[in-house]
Amino acid sequence: MSEMTRKKPWQTVAGLTVMAVAMFGFGYLLVPLYDKFCEITGIGGRTADTAYQVELNDEIDYGRTVRVQFLATVNSALPWRFEPTDRFMDVHPGKLYETTYIAYNRADQPVVAQAVPSVAPGRAALFFNKTECFCFTEQLLGAGESRDMPVRFVVDPNLPDRVDLVTLSYIIYKNDEATAVLAAVN
Amino acid sequence: MSQDTTAHHDDHHDAHHPTGLARWLFSTNHKEIGTMYLVFSLAMFLVGGAMALIIRAELFAPGLQLVNPEFFNQMTTMHALVMIFGAVMPAFVGLANWMVPLMIGAPDMALPRMNNWSFWILPFAFTLLLATLFMPSGGPSSGWTLYPPLSLQGGNSLAFVILAIHLMGISSIMGAINIIATILNMRAPGMTLLRMPLFVWTWLITAFLLIAVMPVLAGAVTMLLTDRFFGTSFFNAAGGGDPVLYQHIFWFFGHPEVYILILPAFGIVSEIIPTFSRKQLFGYTSMVYATASIAFLSFIVWAHHMFTVGMPLGAMLFFMYATMVIAVPTGVKIFNWVATMWRGSMTFETPMLFALGFVVLFTIGGLSGLMLAIVPANFQYHDTYFVVAHFHYVLVTGAVFAIMAAVYYWLPKWTGHMYNEKLGKIHFWWSTIWVNVLFFPQHYLGLAGMPRRIPDYAVQFAEFNMISTIGGFMYGFGQLLFVYIIWQCVRGGEKATAQVWEGARGLEWTVPSPAPLHTFDTPPLVDDSVAVHKDTLA
């Protein structure tokens, strides 16, 4: 009996300390895990941030029509107007389409911005492929400049049958750092 | 190593005892540190309570009367932080400090000096936290959950809040390590794991929860700190981050945290009900397994706090069912407490009254928790006063009632005097009546759609808010009676016997009252005749 009592606690303490430190690391590990999880499952409406390569042998499914809606939101810190030219398009899966967003810089100096896309519903995000998008790179507009920014996309024919409406939304933010660098150069 | 530890023990046995402030500043004695924790917790309970009364006073009538909305938001945030990290958690750690060594026949905690450090961090942490109220940007006002982007849009005082949370976390983690090391290494001969009192068991499991999740909170608030002050983008969508990620990390900590706030309460009630029923605890082993199950489940239900952020159907179903499964081990516990009383020779001294109040009122809080787990209903209840009513039933009539039960139960052991039983009973009935007047109407407010964390509301909510505020002030000022009863008991009163309560069993009742500064220098021998609980099913 006595061997189990009043042991030296140092081994226990060392083990528990390691556990506490490991859990602090685990908190940080949750960040890449979350990103990976969203990327794989499309949860959160994430889409790829690089261009999709069109495969020419993609079947075009003329028997099916999916409505794609376009939204735009401008962060309050960005002095831009930013709107889609089309409110929606009815598209056939597998076919390549193009639409544009119009951006206008209301400020009297050049501003750099970055758009962040999101697709709803989340389960459609993996099947919405952009071959060209202004969201892949930073966008610079001079004072008072306006520009049409194109988006080219293909809806994957494997899009789940239940989905007949897909919403592509952009929130565009000011890139403070790049704007400041630009101002310094000028 | 072994010489080291021996020297360590001798050193505080033979040392002269400093007096005055030094006695408390440098104490390594588990009983003195336990007392400091409990006094600190009581002080924070009163500070947090005063904040609650400011909130309730503003909500007495619609419109803005007493405070501006910014200050109101600081009060709701601070009230939660102070009550959770300053009142309830230190109270449980204080009880563990006092009682765990006495209950397992150990002479002290395993790491007495670290114990001193764990406590003395707290006054500094709360000075930092409360000082933010006097800074130009004011205290934190985004709610205790500190969700970005809101929490990142306030002033620089956020840095102080985060540092305070880090300190509280370090204190809790050190306290938890100490408690586990004590329980695993310092038990008296014969005190096998399945002979340990349930308070010790629930604390062992709670301590593991603390070590597992407090570092995750530390990580989450560190990310907030770097996002706010060092240009990282963990939660900043413009930089590729995601504010929803914060909610996942926070609630990965937050849900186990709510069990940290309740599991020791389960342990306390499991000690008190057998004593005043004069029976063994029914289903001891099932209690241990139920506690462990609840602790395990707490890690896989976090997203039920954030159903409305938008998640896939499968995830909502998983988190809904997993949450509902928790009702099973909790039901086992409530069944066991009722079965313990069944045909018992019951008496109703104040600790028993508070324990019974706990069983009834905590169950109400548990049931409203089940309602909140239902996803479609949750969409309606989310961020309403229904949630406020729910968590105050489990935290006030749950955790706080259990802490008060524990104080009345062990106060004669600590002070050597019986408290004033008549005043104790008045305190119980006063608290129980008014706490229901305070929180029950909030269910109706929530169901009718009143949002939480607002200083003003539509006139349709006026009556129930008025009733709730009256209940709040009556309950709040009633707690001064609790302070008086403790003060009176410390000063004097009827001498307490070693056993104190006729039906009390366990090692803590074998030492004299008041418990001398050093107990169990030679380990007691424990067998079934002195073990607290035998499993009635075995």
Side-chain angles (χ1 to χ4, degrees):
Chain A
M1 272 306 179
S2 57
E3 78 277 7
M4 59 163 259
T5 59
R6 301 192 181 183
K7 287 181 296 196
K8 304 296 165 283
W10 296 110
Q11 270 188 332
T12 317
V13 173
L16 295 172
T17 309
V18 169
M19 184 176 159
V21 173
M23 286 310 290
F24 184 77
F26 179 74
Y28 274 84
L29 188 65
L30 284 173
V31 179
L33 280 178
Y34 176 81
D35 281 343
K36 208 72 206 162
F37 187 76
C38 289
E39 197 185 303
I40 293 168
T41 59
I43 291 173
R46 301 242 179 141
T47 58
D49 50 10
T50 50
Y52 172 77
Q53 299 302 320
V54 190
E55 288 162 38
L56 292 171
N57 53 2
D58 265 359
E59 282 286 298
I60 299 178
D61 187 352
Y62 287 107
R64 189 175 172 199
T65 309
V66 177
R67 176 161 288 193
V68 180
Q69 291 181 326
F70 303 99
L71 295 179
T73 308
V74 186
N75 184 263
S76 58
L78 180 70
W80 284 19
R81 254 201 339 250
F82 176 65
E83 283 162 1
T85 39
D86 301 301
R87 289 288 154 193
F88 64 87
M89 289 169 83
D90 290 322
V91 307
H92 299 301
K95 194 172 173 188
L96 187 66
Y97 291 87
E98 179 176 318
T99 185
T100 52
Y101 275 68
I102 303 171
Y104 165 67
N105 181 2
R106 293 188 280 109
D108 51 8
Q109 59 202 7
V111 174
V112 181
Q114 170 74 53
V116 177
S118 169
V119 170
R123 65 177 164 292
L126 293 177
F127 302 95
F128 191 89
N129 302 316
K130 299 188 291 303
T131 62
E132 189 186 326
C133 178
F134 54 87
C135 58
F136 295 147
T137 53
E138 290 170 347
Q139 298 295 318
L140 162 66
L141 285 187
E145 188 187 346
S146 90
R147 188 188 305 150
D148 283 2
M149 303 194 297
V151 185
R152 271 195 218 107
F153 63 91
V154 186
V155 174
D156 190 317
N158 296 320
L159 180 75
D161 286 339
R162 306 183 273 178
V163 181
D164 55 8
L165 177 70
V166 177
T167 306
L168 173 63
S169 157
Y170 287 100
I171 305 179
I172 192 158
Y173 297 93
K174 186 175 174 189
N175 185 330
D176 288 319
E177 234 167 86
T179 305
V181 169
L182 204 64
V185 170
N186 294 343
Chain B
M1 260 310 174
S2 76
Q3 274 86 358
D4 247 282
T5 330
T6 329
H8 199 192
H9 277 268
D10 285 348
D11 150 71
H12 76 90
H13 278 204
D14 304 335
H16 64 97
H17 290 289
T19 50
L21 188 63
R23 171 185 169 195
W24 300 103
L25 270 178
F26 306 128
S27 175
T28 53
N29 181 285
H30 74 101
K31 300 186 183 79
E32 289 177 341
I33 293 173
T35 303
M36 289 195 288
Y37 264 111
L38 288 166
V39 171
F40 176 79
S41 144
L42 183 60
M44 286 296 125
F45 180 64
L46 298 177
V47 170
M51 292 173 178
L53 291 187
I54 293 172
I55 295 168
R56 281 314 326 166
E58 177 56 52
L59 293 173
F60 183 70
L64 293 174
Q65 283 91 19
L66 297 171
V67 295
N68 62 42
E70 292 75 26
F71 187 71
F72 183 92
N73 289 342
Q74 291 173 30
M75 285 294 102
T76 54
T77 307
M78 282 293 208
H79 164 72
L81 289 171
V82 167
M83 286 302 200
I84 292 168
F85 295 104
V88 174
M89 287 169 67
F92 283 138
V93 180
L95 291 169
N97 257 292
W98 248 104
M99 301 319 299
V100 166
L102 284 180
M103 289 175 134
I104 61 173
D108 204 312
M109 298 294 281
L111 309 150
R113 285 182 184 152
M114 195 167 88
N115 206 12
N116 173 292
W117 197 22
S118 322
F119 171 75
W120 278 109
I121 285 175
L122 283 179
F124 293 94
F126 281 87
T127 307
L128 268 180
L129 180 68
L130 293 171
T132 60
L133 286 173
F134 304 98
M135 292 177 187
S137 56
S141 53
S142 57
W144 79 283
T145 52
L146 301 175
Y147 279 5
L150 184 60
S151 64
L152 302 178
Q153 291 167 357
N156 290 338
S157 67
L158 181 72
F160 291 82
V161 174
I162 287 171
L163 184 60
I165 291 174
H166 278 146
L167 289 176
M168 294 167 203
I170 290 168
S171 163
S172 309
I173 291 166
M174 290 198 305
I177 289 176
N178 208 345
I179 288 167
I180 295 175
T182 307
I183 296 172
L184 294 186
N185 299 298
M186 307 269 289
R187 297 191 311 278
M191 179 60 81
T192 55
L193 283 175
L194 281 176
R195 275 189 188 138
M196 292 197 312
L198 259 181
F199 179 68
V200 180
W201 255 115
T202 53
W203 240 116
L204 179 64
I205 292 167
T206 303
F208 273 107
L209 288 183
L210 276 168
I211 294 173
V213 300
M214 289 307 285
V216 176
L217 173 70
V221 296
T222 307
M223 291 178 211
L224 282 181
L225 186 80
T226 55
D227 267 15
R228 174 72 175 77
F229 297 101
F230 300 102
T232 59
S233 295
F234 288 106
F235 311 126
N236 178 5
D242 189 344
V244 174
L245 169 63
Y246 177 84
Q247 298 191 22
H248 282 289
I249 302 176
F250 181 86
W251 287 113
F252 183 84
F253 145 80
H255 203 76
E257 168 69 14
V258 304
Y259 292 137
I260 288 165
L261 298 171
I262 203 65
L263 291 183
F266 290 165
I268 290 163
V269 170
S270 304
E271 301 300 325
I272 292 174
I273 289 180
T275 295
F276 295 98
S277 304
R278 291 162 182 79
K279 274 178 67 191
Q280 299 282 359
L281 182 71
F282 184 88
Y284 169 84
T285 316
S286 68
M287 284 296 216
V288 173
Y289 283 109
T291 311
S293 312
I294 293 172
F296 168 74
L297 288 170
S298 75
F299 284 102
I300 56 166
V301 297
W302 75 90
H304 69 209
H305 294 270
M306 38 187 289
F307 280 138
T308 55
V309 297
M311 56 178 99
L313 183 66
M316 288 196 284
L317 287 174
F318 171 78
F319 286 110
M320 173 168 83
Y321 291 137
T323 304
M324 290 183 168
V325 166
I326 297 174
V328 176
T330 314
V332 166
K333 284 177 167 293
I334 291 170
F335 178 87
N336 284 346
W337 290 325
V338 175
T340 304
M341 290 184 267
W342 177 251
R343 295 192 168 170
S345 172
M346 292 168 71
T347 51
F348 299 93
E349 287 87 345
T350 311
M352 182 62 162
L353 288 176
F354 271 100
L356 293 177
F358 171 95
V359 173
V360 173
L361 298 173
F362 175 81
T363 305
I364 293 178
L367 289 175
S368 59
L370 269 178
M371 290 171 71
L372 285 165
I374 303 168
V375 174
N378 181 283
F379 283 13
Q380 170 74 19
Y381 304 156
H382 183 81
D383 262 351
T384 68
Y385 257 81
F386 190 82
V387 178
V388 177
H390 157 70
F391 67 69
H392 281 97
Y393 265 86
V394 290
L395 283 177
V396 179
T397 61
V400 173
F401 265 41
I403 291 166
M404 288 181 171
V407 169
Y408 283 113
Y409 185 54
W410 285 310
L411 199 54
K413 179 56 65 191
W414 302 336
T415 64
H417 308 127
M418 299 304 287
Y419 60 87
N420 186 328
E421 186 65 51
K422 194 170 180 179
L423 286 183
K425 284 186 170 140
I426 292 173
H427 174 227
F428 168 75
W429 286 109
W430 182 273
S431 297
T432 302
I433 290 167
W434 292 115
V435 86
N436 282 291
V437 175
L438 164 58
F439 292 122
F440 211 84
Q442 295 182 0
H443 290 110
Y444 301 123
L445 286 170
L447 294 179
M450 178 170 160
R452 61 190 287 212
R453 291 170 175 158
I454 51 155
D456 187 10
Y457 48 82
V459 283
Q460 57 173 330
F461 304 128
E463 281 80 9
F464 277 134
N465 268 300
M466 188 177 284
I467 294 170
S468 180
T469 295
I470 293 169
F473 273 82
M474 298 304 256
Y475 173 76
F477 282 102
Q479 302 319 306
L480 296 177
L481 180 62
F482 180 57
V483 179
Y484 174 74
I485 293 168
I486 294 171
W487 182 75
Q488 196 189 34
C489 182
V490 172
R491 299 275 304 225
E494 189 194 328
K495 286 267 168 275
T497 61
Q499 204 194 358
V500 183
W501 311 108
E502 187 195 32
R505 300 193 58 187
L507 286 178
E508 82 260 40
W509 308 110
T510 62
V511 302
S513 303
L517 203 55
H518 298 290
T519 40
F520 298 127
D521 283 339
T522 36
L525 255 176
V526 180
D527 57 28
D528 278 340
S529 67
V530 289
V532 196
H533 306 293
K534 278 181 293 191
D535 193 342
T536 47
L537 293 174

